[in-house]
Amino acid sequence: MVPASKEPALKGQRILLCVGGGIAAYKALELVRRLRDAGASVQVAMTDGAQQFVTALSFQALSGLPVRTSLWDAAAEQAMGHLELARWADRVVVAPATADLIARLAHGHADDLVATLCLATTAPISICPAMNHRMWLHPATQANVEALRGRGVQVIGPEDGPLAEGESGPGRLSEPADIVAALAGAAPAGAPPRPRLHGLKVVVSAGPTYEDLDPVRYLGNRSSGKMGFAIAASAARRGADVVLVAGPVHLPTPAGVKRVDVRSAQQMHDAVFAALPADIYIGAAAVADYTPREPAANKIKKSSESLALDLVRTPDILAEVAASTQGRLRLVVGFAAETEKVAEYARKKLEAKRLDMIVANRVGVAGGGFESDSNAMTAYWADGEREFPSAPKTQLADELVELIAERLKS
Ligand code: PMT
C-alpha cells in the first residue's frame, strides 16, 4: 500500500532528478520512492560517475520511467530530447550534488547530460550536496555554492556527521525525508497547504561567543552551533524567513537562511537587535556571561605566578529581547544548559527572563549537550512541559519547531 503523502505540495509535480557520482547516489533511490509517495512523477538522469555507484535499471524500476544517461543516446533523444526533458520538469533536483557537479553548474558547463539539462531548464533547481567535509568547506566549493544560491538555486544540506570514508564533518547527503520536506517547503505559491511558519520571521542565535583577552587569547565555550543551525534549518524548511546570528563556528549555512556572523556577546546582541522585529526569537547560543573589562592591546606576558582577570557582565540578549516592547514578537524561546537540577534551574530562568518557553538540556554528559550530534531536552512553559528523548539534533530541531508552531496558535 502506498503511504498517505505527508507533502501534498509535491502532488502532481514533474521532478527531474539528476544523480551525481558519489557514494550517496544509493540514497537517491529512496528519494525517488519518497517523491513518488508524495505524488510526484520522477524522471531520472545520471552522470557517468553516478552509474559507477548505482545502476540505471534500479532507478528505472523505482521511477517507472526510462532513465537518461547520455547526451549522445540517439534512441533516447528520439523519444524525448534533452531540451524537451528540461522543459518537462516542474523542478530539477540534483542529488547527490558532488563538488565537481556543483562547480560545473556554477560555471554553466554543458559537458554532459546532467549539466546540459540544468543549463537548459527554466524550472527551479534544488541541489543536495554530498562530499568529503574538506571538499565541502573548501573556499572554491563554498564560492560555487554561493554563486548558485545567488541565482536562486535552493541548497538542501549537507548534514554534519560520519562520512563514508570514516571521517566526520559536514558533507553527508540530507536524509531523503528531509529533502522531500525541504522541496515541499519551497513549492510554488498556491500549492496547498502552506508550510507551518509561512510568512513568519524567526531570529535564531547559535554557537559560542569569544571574548578577547588580548590579540591572541579569548574566553570561549564548547558550543559547536549544531543545535541552533538545525533549528534555523528546520524553521526555514517550514517556510519562515530566518535570520541566524552565528558565533564563531565551522558549519555551512542552512538552505534559505540569512546568516550573520559575529564573535563576541556584544556583537551578537547588536546583530540580534538589528534583525528585529521578528515573530519568534530562539536563543540557542551559548553566550558568555562575562567579558574582560578592557581587552589588552598587546599579548599579555607571563610576569607573575598567577593572573586575575577583571571581567564584567555581558548584556543578557535573551532577557532584553523578552523585555523588548518593540515589534511583533509572539514567542521568545530560551535554552538552559545545566549540569544539575536541570528542571529547577530551567524554570527559574523561564520566570526570571520572562520567557514564553525554555528548552533545558544537560551539558557535561556524553552523547548530548555541547558538540555532540545528538541531544536530549525538555521544553518548559508556564503551565506545561514536553520531553524530547535523546535523538539527533536535526530531528530534535524539527520536533521543537513543531512545538513552537503549536504554542504560537494557543
Ligand atoms: O551548539 P551545540 O554544540 O549544538 O550545543 C547546543 C547547546 C548546548 C549550546 C544548546 O543546546 C544550549 O543549551 N544553548 C544555551 C547555552 C547557554 O548559554 O545556556 P545558559 O543557561 O547559560 O543561558 C540561558 C539562555 O540565555 C540561553 O538561551 C542563552 O542564549 C541566553 N543568554 C545567556 C547569556 C547572555 N549574556 N545572553 C543570552 O542571551
Side-chain angles (χ1 to χ4, degrees), residues 159 178 197 202 204 225-238 254 282 284 333 335 357 359 373-377 386 388-405:
E159 299 296 319
D178 292 339
L197 298 180
V202 179
V204 182
K226 287 175 190 171
M227 193 69 238
F229 273 57
I231 291 169
S234 175
R237 281 200 300 274
R238 281 160 181 74
I282 306 170
V333 181
F335 266 75
M357 187 191 290
V359 184
D373 284 329
S374 53
N375 205 1
M377 53 202 206
R386 186 173 303 171
F388 299 94
S390 181
K393 283 179 178 170
T394 46
Q395 182 185 326
L396 290 178
D398 278 340
E399 291 168 9
L400 177 63
V401 170
E402 280 297 317
L403 173 64
I404 287 171

Side-chain angles (χ1 to χ4, degrees), residues 29 31 99 116-117 125 127 239 244 268 290 300 324 336 340 348 356 368 396 400:
L29 292 168
L31 182 57
T116 305
L117 287 168
I125 300 180
I127 62 166
L244 172 61
M268 186 170 274
Y290 292 91
I300 301 170
S324 129
E340 55 169 348
K348 273 191 184 150
D356 298 300
L396 290 178
L400 177 63

Side-chain angles (χ1 to χ4, degrees), residues 23 75 78 109 117 208 264 277 280 289 322 345 378 386:
I23 178 65
Q78 214 172 19
H109 288 201
L117 287 168
S264 66
I280 301 170
D289 290 319
Y345 289 155
T378 308
R386 186 173 303 171

Side-chain angles (χ1 to χ4, degrees), residues 40-178:
S41 325
V42 184
Q43 177 108 26
V44 176
M46 301 173 77
T47 63
D48 286 349
Q51 293 167 68
Q52 301 293 323
F53 291 97
V54 198
T55 67
L57 203 58
S58 310
F59 281 109
Q60 184 173 310
L62 286 167
S63 68
L65 289 171
V67 171
R68 294 291 309 265
T69 54
S70 168
L71 199 49
W72 312 114
D73 181 336
E77 280 295 305
Q78 214 172 19
M80 196 199 280
H82 63 276
L83 292 179
E84 234 173 302
L85 185 54
R87 269 196 297 272
W88 170 88
D90 292 321
R91 54 197 307 144
V92 176
V93 180
V94 184
T98 59
D100 174 66
L101 189 46
I102 289 173
R104 290 192 289 126
L105 300 185
H107 291 89
H109 288 201
D111 49 358
D112 70 357
L113 176 68
V114 163
T116 305
L117 287 168
C118 290
L119 201 58
T121 189
T122 52
I125 300 180
S126 305
I127 62 166
C128 311
M131 64 196 74
N132 171 271
H133 64 298
R134 274 185 285 274
M135 292 169 77
W136 170 251
L137 293 172
H138 194 286
T141 304
Q142 289 299 308
N144 290 332
V145 170
E146 276 317 303
L148 291 173
R149 245 195 211 114
R151 283 180 226 150
V153 170
Q154 182 192 22
V155 182
I156 302 171
E159 299 296 319
D160 201 313
L163 301 168
E165 56 276 21
E167 295 182 289
S168 184
R172 281 167 67 86
L173 183 72
S174 294
E175 290 306 317
D178 292 339

Side-chain angles (χ1 to χ4, degrees), residues 185-359:
R194 281 188 165 169
R196 290 203 81 168
L197 298 180
H198 176 85
L200 298 184
K201 181 165 176 187
V202 179
V203 177
V204 182
S205 74
T209 63
Y210 287 176
E211 309 301 319
D212 290 333
L213 290 165
D214 67 15
V216 294
R217 304 181 183 94
Y218 58 82
L219 294 172
N221 63 66
R222 290 171 48 200
S223 170
S224 62
K226 287 175 190 171
M227 193 69 238
F229 273 57
I231 291 169
S234 175
R237 281 200 300 274
R238 281 160 181 74
D241 169 16
V242 181
V243 177
L244 172 61
V245 180
V249 295
H250 302 282
L251 294 177
T253 308
V257 165
K258 181 170 177 252
R259 173 174 179 170
V260 183
D261 285 312
V262 298
R263 181 173 172 85
S264 66
Q266 184 63 52
Q267 286 172 1
M268 186 170 274
H269 170 275
D270 296 349
V272 165
F273 275 86
L276 298 181
D279 300 279
I280 301 170
Y281 175 74
I282 306 170
V287 188
D289 290 319
Y290 292 91
T291 190
R293 184 183 297 280
E294 200 66 63
N298 295 306
K299 186 178 170 194
I300 301 170
K301 292 287 173 200
K302 270 193 301 221
S303 51
S304 53
E305 279 310 304
S306 62
L307 173 71
L309 296 174
D310 184 11
L311 304 177
V312 292
R313 288 291 298 267
T314 54
D316 191 321
I317 305 166
L318 181 62
E320 279 190 37
V321 170
S324 129
T325 48
Q326 61 155 302
R328 54 178 198 244
L329 271 165
R330 289 170 60 191
L331 210 78
V332 177
V333 181
F335 266 75
E338 308 293 350
T339 52
E340 55 169 348
K341 299 186 186 165
V342 178
E344 183 188 328
Y345 289 155
R347 281 214 174 269
K348 273 191 184 150
K349 280 181 190 166
L350 177 73
E351 273 179 43
K353 300 197 187 198
R354 296 173 171 275
L355 310 176
D356 298 300
M357 187 191 290
I358 194 149
V359 184

